[in-house]
Amino acid sequence: MARNRNTRTKTTFFFTLFTITAFCYFTPVFGFGSCPSLPSHSHHDHSHNNQVTARKFEIANDMFWKDGQPFQIIGGDLHYFRVLPEYWEDRLLRAKALGLNTIQTYVPWNLHEPKPGKLVFEGIADIVSFLKLCHKLGFLVMLRAGPYICAEWDLGGFPAWLLAIEPALRLRTSDPAFLHLVERWWEILLPKVVPLLYENGGPIIMVQIENEFGSNGNDKAYLHHLATLARGHLGDDTILYTINGGTREKLDRGTICEDNVFSAVDFPTASDPWPRFELQKEFNAPGKSPPLSAEFYTGWLTHWGEKIAETGADFTASVLEKILARNGSAVLYMVHGGTNFGFYNGANREDESVYMADITSYDYDAPIRESGDVDNAKFKALRRVIKAYSAVPLPSVPFNNEKTGYGRIHLQKKEFLLDIVDRISSTDVVESENPMSMESVGQMFGFLLYVSEYAAKDDGNILYIAEVHDRAQVFISCSSEDNGGRPIYVGTIERWSNLTLGLPKTECVSNISLYLLVENMGRINHGNYIFDRKGILSSVYLDERILNQWKMIPIPLNNLNEVPKTNPIIQVAYSEFTDVSAHRGAKENVTKEPAFYVGRFSIDKVNLVNDTFISFRGWGRGIAFVNGFNIGRYWPLKGPQCNLYVPAPVLRHGENVVVVLELESPNAELVIDSVDQPDFTCTSSKSNLHRLEQTTYTM
């Protein structure tokens, strides 16, 4: 009888649970948003906290509890992939001095699997070492496992090779082909972090699935699958969480409370936080909604052509105090931004015609600046607030790291970019009737050269490309001309101003070669246009007729986690270098054709190797490498960023080599300057000052 009674009781319980779960699951996307009470993974009675001894992080009574004691998260985002590993500890100690007890970080899938099956977990991608270091320094960790992260990072963290798969994947959906690849990735990633979960003695207290899905997603089955998959690897004790904008519509679309996944919010800094936290409660089970601003914006991103984003220190600190004063929790986004080294910067697109690439610096106007500086008003204002609510005394504030300007660096033009084509292995060249995307030919970042030919006309030709992502520099050459067929720059076709281009009349007894050097400026990382293939994505028209027979030639350049087999940077950097003055022969080397320029500077052994910045004032647009490390893109003509940050670990005593790939207009004297400070005052056209306090865009 007892057994039968227990069976009936269990049957009734699970039927009730199923009914509740089904009710929540089949609730319409808009309108009803509240979550019913669900079983808790915890059975502790928090009225007897002193009796709890198990290592556990949990949610109860609308509070976070750490080992049976109430806990207020005062955290900050700090991304390991935007900081050189040699500086991880330095930046974390500065976050500690600010008063933070928790670090939140994304995991970019594309950094760790740049090609299918090629896994990278070393160097800047050594996430396990970063997490262990957080633990060593006394931080808890909130891990943002994706698979989509946004983050102003190329393709929102998705590997670009996903875009080469046919039929096309439906990203961020329950498309079986897409889910299969996510499952395979998480089968690699999540077991690595299991030993670092809090209940296993590590620092990880929460794991986020997806990111701000409510802003653009509409496939709850996808979120449910991610939750089930995460639970299968992490177990039932780890808190899973989602982050969505603090509006009813976004929370309706992005919350899966029925899977016992905690729903956190983010919102513009100028918003009153507490109405957002009250709304947050409707999307968590009763007693399961500690107020958490999981992205408390300390600054904002900046695109090329905008003024550098800024927000007031006192304003930011006052809003944070509104949260902490009532026992709310907050994670500063960002506490330290870092740098978009290599080609990994993201981009945004507001409509069909507006494309905005992010600058190399991810300074973000954060309290810990790009180079680690903390002697600023925002750090001081936030620390003053945090100190009042910290459960432990704050460490002393470190000094800013030393920075050195190593002076003027004279460059020499070493080789035209188009000349390296002859050294590209024929096995890497792809031929096709029509142009193919960069992803389809395996060139995920940087540049792809498209080559075809056409017959000359007496009155010239009109070139039109319907869809180019993102920027195509156009050159023509005639092999029968006296200059030996040296390519001539004709013009540039840009994604955001896609116009026809007139090709000049050329008397050529042979066919004219057409070169289209297409640059991937960064894939869109947010919104409805995230499926952002690069290269030429349409037919190419010459005088309204389709031009066929194309060669696609990849340009191998170093990226953050990849060094190509054929490396023109190394070949150029260590070719013969003539010691010339700043003026002798410089002006005659100026050309509109993309070229590599090389310079050297020395650091005496009696001096310390310090951080520096390289100023590109007077240059046009391009990529720079220091000792083979890709320090990022420069574009001072567009602004606002003039100088690129060079961390000390990139440098060395003795000779240091700088290679510059200038795409369009080199400095007339072929000089760059190593200086001791950042500069965001180059030409810019759009203000970005008040966006931070008013915007509804969320990361």
Side-chain angles (χ1 to χ4, degrees), residues 368-382:
I368 304 173
R369 309 313 296 266
E370 180 179 16
S371 60
D373 285 2
V374 294
D375 186 12
N376 62 74
K378 186 168 290 181
F379 186 95
K380 293 173 183 176
L382 290 171

Side-chain angles (χ1 to χ4, degrees), residues 401-418:
N401 290 327
E402 289 291 328
K403 288 167 281 294
T404 299
Y406 295 105
R408 179 147 289 190
I409 304 169
H410 302 302
L411 305 184
Q412 288 183 330
K413 185 181 71 181
K414 301 301 293 183
E415 188 169 20
F416 290 111
L417 174 63
L418 298 183

Side-chain angles (χ1 to χ4, degrees), residues 57 63-66 69-75 99-102 140 142 205 274 290-292 320-331 385-391:
F57 194 90
M63 291 187 292
F64 294 111
W65 297 80
K66 177 175 172 284
Q69 299 296 320
F71 187 81
Q72 184 177 38
I73 293 174
I74 306 178
L100 304 191
N101 56 33
T102 304
L140 300 177
M142 297 167 63
I205 55 172
W274 287 96
L292 172 61
L320 178 63
E321 184 157 31
K322 290 180 181 178
I323 296 174
L324 300 184
R326 295 173 58 181
N327 294 319
S329 293
V331 180
V385 168
I386 293 170
K387 184 177 182 180
Y389 299 96
S390 175

Side-chain angles (χ1 to χ4, degrees), residues 662-673:
E662 170 58 49
L663 297 172
E664 51 188 40
S665 54
N667 173 281
E669 296 184 341
L670 299 186
V671 295
I672 55 177
D673 291 285

